[in-house]
Amino acid sequence: MLGAPRRVLGLIPYSLQKLSPRQLHHHDVNNGGGGNSEKEESFRFYKSRGQHILVNPRILDTIVRRSAINPTDTVLEIGPGTGNLTLKLLEAAHRVVAVEIDDRMVHVLEKRVLQHGLRHKLNVIQKDALRIRFPHFDLVVANIPYGISSPLLMKLVYGASPFRSATLLLQKEFAGRLLANPGDSEFNRLAVNVKLVADVEFVMDVSKRDFLPCPKVDSSVVIIRPKDQVPDVDMREWRAFTRTCFSRKNKTLGATFKQKSKLLSLSKLSNVSGFAEEEEEDDHDHDEGGSQRSFKEKIIGVLKTGGYEDKRPSKLSIEELLHLLSLFNGAGIYFHDCRKNSNEDRFDEDDG
């Protein structure tokens, strides 16, 4: 048994009192959540889509309680699945906005909510959460599909919609990166970008046995709270800068910035004339061209000025990274291509 012998949501008929939470979930889904005698086909979850439904009522209750939902709040839930968490959120909040891409899930969710008499408090958006503009919300409470955790988190913390907090159920390893500090092996670009604008609090670990179907790894619940004040820095420039630094997070910054590919890319962004042509014509058996050599010396000069040449990005604090960026920008070296205006930043290269 994963929890007390009661229905995941609602009362259990006497004939069902000996069923496990997983069996109860199957019964609840297959009967629309209200004991409908008309049986539906067994519901199939797709692991490839991150469809792992939390079925432990104790964990669900803790998530809702720790989210500190006010009766006047609108809660955004991403990936509600069949509605185990949604129904509890509807009981606590004024309104729930649920974003779900799978029409099968939407059908079950709406049917269960209707039979619990809470349909008037639910707004379902059947779209890709990464591709829509979220309506107004006060809080986020969600069991995030593992495959979209990183870009979705960036969309939330760097998005235009202000919110009070986000209580998220994430893959345990992913949550560990968010909680990591400089010097920790898990500290990476994702952590430094989130912590620039938000505080992250650990709530609890959740066993993989508390999900249906059972994933391969355990999960963790964290609460992310946007900071009242954030550093005065161009966020696109900052994110492009950290992408460069953390491309080889355990290498020294001197080694990273001496790479010809990095020098060429930065020279183009910094409008260094003649560098690209000389790079293309450069032969490994010849000395570097004048503009190339001059720009490289400028880069290394900035690193040496701040004492960063032999330091590794995985060991630098946010304040140190901000200082280094200001030194680069002060020397006319930039990282963000102003011609590109993409909102998506997947952070796929962090883990290398």
Side-chain angles (χ1 to χ4, degrees), residues 236-302:
R236 293 187 183 278
E237 177 72 4
W238 163 260
R239 288 162 68 180
F241 164 70
T242 57
R243 183 185 304 114
T244 297
C245 291
F246 281 85
S247 62
R248 304 169 72 190
K249 71 173 188 175
N250 293 317
K251 300 292 184 181
T252 65
L253 289 167
T256 295
F257 281 94
K258 287 176 183 176
Q259 296 177 84
K260 288 186 178 181
S261 60
K262 289 287 190 294
L263 292 170
L264 176 60
S265 175
L266 293 176
S267 71
K268 291 179 178 179
L269 293 173
S270 304
N271 296 317
V272 177
S273 61
F275 184 98
E277 291 80 3
E278 290 174 357
E279 171 68 18
E280 292 171 357
E281 296 173 359
D282 182 43
D283 190 300
H284 293 295
D285 295 329
H286 294 81
D287 292 335
E288 294 171 333
S291 295
Q292 178 181 347
R293 184 169 56 252
S294 175
F295 186 70
K296 180 178 180 180
E297 290 173 351
K298 188 176 185 179
I299 291 277
I300 300 305
V302 169

Side-chain angles (χ1 to χ4, degrees), residues 118-171:
L118 297 169
R119 185 64 184 86
H120 64 288
K121 299 176 70 175
L122 177 67
N123 176 21
V124 178
I125 301 176
Q126 189 181 334
K127 292 183 181 295
D128 185 342
L130 296 178
R131 298 182 181 276
I132 66 168
R133 182 182 295 275
F134 295 135
H136 166 76
F137 61 93
D138 301 294
L139 301 170
V140 184
V141 185
N143 172 17
I144 301 296
Y146 291 167
I148 65 170
S149 297
S150 183
L152 184 56
L153 184 56
M154 289 300 102
K155 179 173 182 174
L156 289 172
V157 300
Y158 281 92
S161 301
F163 61 94
R164 194 163 73 246
S165 68
T167 305
L168 305 178
L169 182 58
L170 303 164
Q171 183 177 345

Side-chain angles (χ1 to χ4, degrees), residues 144-351:
I144 301 296
Y146 291 167
I148 65 170
S149 297
S150 183
L152 184 56
L153 184 56
M154 289 300 102
K155 179 173 182 174
L156 289 172
V157 300
Y158 281 92
S161 301
F163 61 94
R164 194 163 73 246
S165 68
T167 305
L168 305 178
L169 182 58
L170 303 164
Q171 183 177 345
K172 185 175 181 179
E173 183 180 359
F174 184 89
R177 295 179 197 142
L178 294 179
L179 295 161
N181 295 308
D184 294 342
S185 60
E186 299 89 352
F187 189 69
N188 63 0
R189 180 182 168 229
L190 176 70
V192 79
N193 277 278
V194 171
K195 291 190 173 185
L196 177 74
V197 296
D199 295 314
V200 185
E201 176 189 353
F202 172 78
V203 176
M204 62 180 172
D205 290 326
V206 180
S207 171
K208 59 187 177 183
R209 296 187 298 274
D210 291 332
F211 293 87
L212 179 71
C214 182
K216 295 181 179 179
V217 296
D218 293 331
S219 298
S220 296
V221 178
V222 299
I223 299 178
I224 298 171
R225 297 182 177 89
K227 293 180 178 178
D228 293 331
Q229 294 184 331
V230 298
D232 184 16
V233 60
D234 184 314
M235 292 302 177
R236 293 187 183 278
E237 177 72 4
W238 163 260
R239 288 162 68 180
F241 164 70
T242 57
R243 183 185 304 114
T244 297
C245 291
F246 281 85
S247 62
R248 304 169 72 190
K249 71 173 188 175
N250 293 317
K251 300 292 184 181
T252 65
L253 289 167
T256 295
F257 281 94
K258 287 176 183 176
Q259 296 177 84
K260 288 186 178 181
S261 60
K262 289 287 190 294
L263 292 170
L264 176 60
S265 175
L266 293 176
S267 71
K268 291 179 178 179
L269 293 173
S270 304
N271 296 317
V272 177
S273 61
F275 184 98
E277 291 80 3
E278 290 174 357
E279 171 68 18
E280 292 171 357
E281 296 173 359
D282 182 43
D283 190 300
H284 293 295
D285 295 329
H286 294 81
D287 292 335
E288 294 171 333
S291 295
Q292 178 181 347
R293 184 169 56 252
S294 175
F295 186 70
K296 180 178 180 180
E297 290 173 351
K298 188 176 185 179
I299 291 277
I300 300 305
V302 169
L303 293 174
K304 287 183 176 179
T305 298
Y308 291 103
E309 184 179 16
D310 296 324
K311 292 187 176 180
R312 306 174 195 278
S314 60
K315 298 183 183 299
L316 294 180
S317 67
I318 290 177
E319 291 72 23
E320 289 174 312
L321 289 166
L322 285 167
H323 179 234
L324 177 57
L325 177 57
S326 69
L327 291 177
F328 275 126
N329 289 170
I333 300 168
Y334 297 93
F335 296 82
H336 172 60
D337 188 346
C338 297
R339 296 169 296 180
K340 296 181 179 179
N341 194 35
S342 173
N343 286 322
E344 183 176 15
D345 194 346
R346 296 191 64 87
F347 289 74
D348 291 335
E349 71 274 32
D350 285 355
D351 306 328

Side-chain angles (χ1 to χ4, degrees), residues 1 9 24 48-49 58 61 68 79 82 109 152 171 202 265 321:
M1 290 288 288
L9 290 159
L24 289 173
S48 61
R49 300 179 187 176
R58 179 180 59 82
D61 288 338
T82 56
L109 172 66
L152 184 56
Q171 183 177 345
F202 172 78
S265 175
L321 289 166

Side-chain angles (χ1 to χ4, degrees), residues 6-206:
R6 59 184 181 86
R7 198 169 194 162
V8 172
L9 290 159
L11 298 175
I12 299 181
Y14 179 78
S15 61
L16 303 178
Q17 288 181 5
K18 293 184 179 181
L19 296 183
S20 72
R22 292 169 187 265
Q23 293 170 317
L24 289 173
H25 179 80
H26 273 306
H27 179 276
D28 196 48
V29 168
N30 293 339
N31 290 280
N36 193 329
S37 59
E38 183 180 352
K39 298 287 185 179
E40 298 178 9
E41 292 184 7
S42 179
F43 198 88
R44 181 179 180 183
F45 300 99
Y46 295 100
K47 291 185 179 182
S48 61
R49 300 179 187 176
Q51 293 179 346
H52 299 282
I53 309 301
L54 181 63
V55 296
N56 188 329
R58 179 180 59 82
I59 302 297
L60 290 165
D61 288 338
T62 300
I63 290 173
V64 174
R65 176 172 53 82
R66 291 297 301 271
S67 298
I69 301 170
N70 296 323
T72 56
D73 283 336
T74 294
V75 177
L76 174 66
E77 184 185 11
I78 299 161
T82 56
N84 288 354
L85 179 59
T86 313
L87 285 166
K88 290 181 177 290
L89 294 176
L90 287 167
E91 293 174 354
H94 173 69
R95 191 168 186 80
V96 173
V97 177
V99 182
E100 174 59 63
I101 195 171
D102 190 332
D103 59 346
R104 303 172 312 128
M105 296 286 193
V106 171
H107 173 73
V108 174
L109 172 66
E110 291 183 331
K111 188 173 182 179
R112 294 182 72 191
V113 171
L114 180 64
Q115 293 180 341
H116 282 79
L118 297 169
R119 185 64 184 86
H120 64 288
K121 299 176 70 175
L122 177 67
N123 176 21
V124 178
I125 301 176
Q126 189 181 334
K127 292 183 181 295
D128 185 342
L130 296 178
R131 298 182 181 276
I132 66 168
R133 182 182 295 275
F134 295 135
H136 166 76
F137 61 93
D138 301 294
L139 301 170
V140 184
V141 185
N143 172 17
I144 301 296
Y146 291 167
I148 65 170
S149 297
S150 183
L152 184 56
L153 184 56
M154 289 300 102
K155 179 173 182 174
L156 289 172
V157 300
Y158 281 92
S161 301
F163 61 94
R164 194 163 73 246
S165 68
T167 305
L168 305 178
L169 182 58
L170 303 164
Q171 183 177 345
K172 185 175 181 179
E173 183 180 359
F174 184 89
R177 295 179 197 142
L178 294 179
L179 295 161
N181 295 308
D184 294 342
S185 60
E186 299 89 352
F187 189 69
N188 63 0
R189 180 182 168 229
L190 176 70
V192 79
N193 277 278
V194 171
K195 291 190 173 185
L196 177 74
V197 296
D199 295 314
V200 185
E201 176 189 353
F202 172 78
V203 176
M204 62 180 172
D205 290 326
V206 180

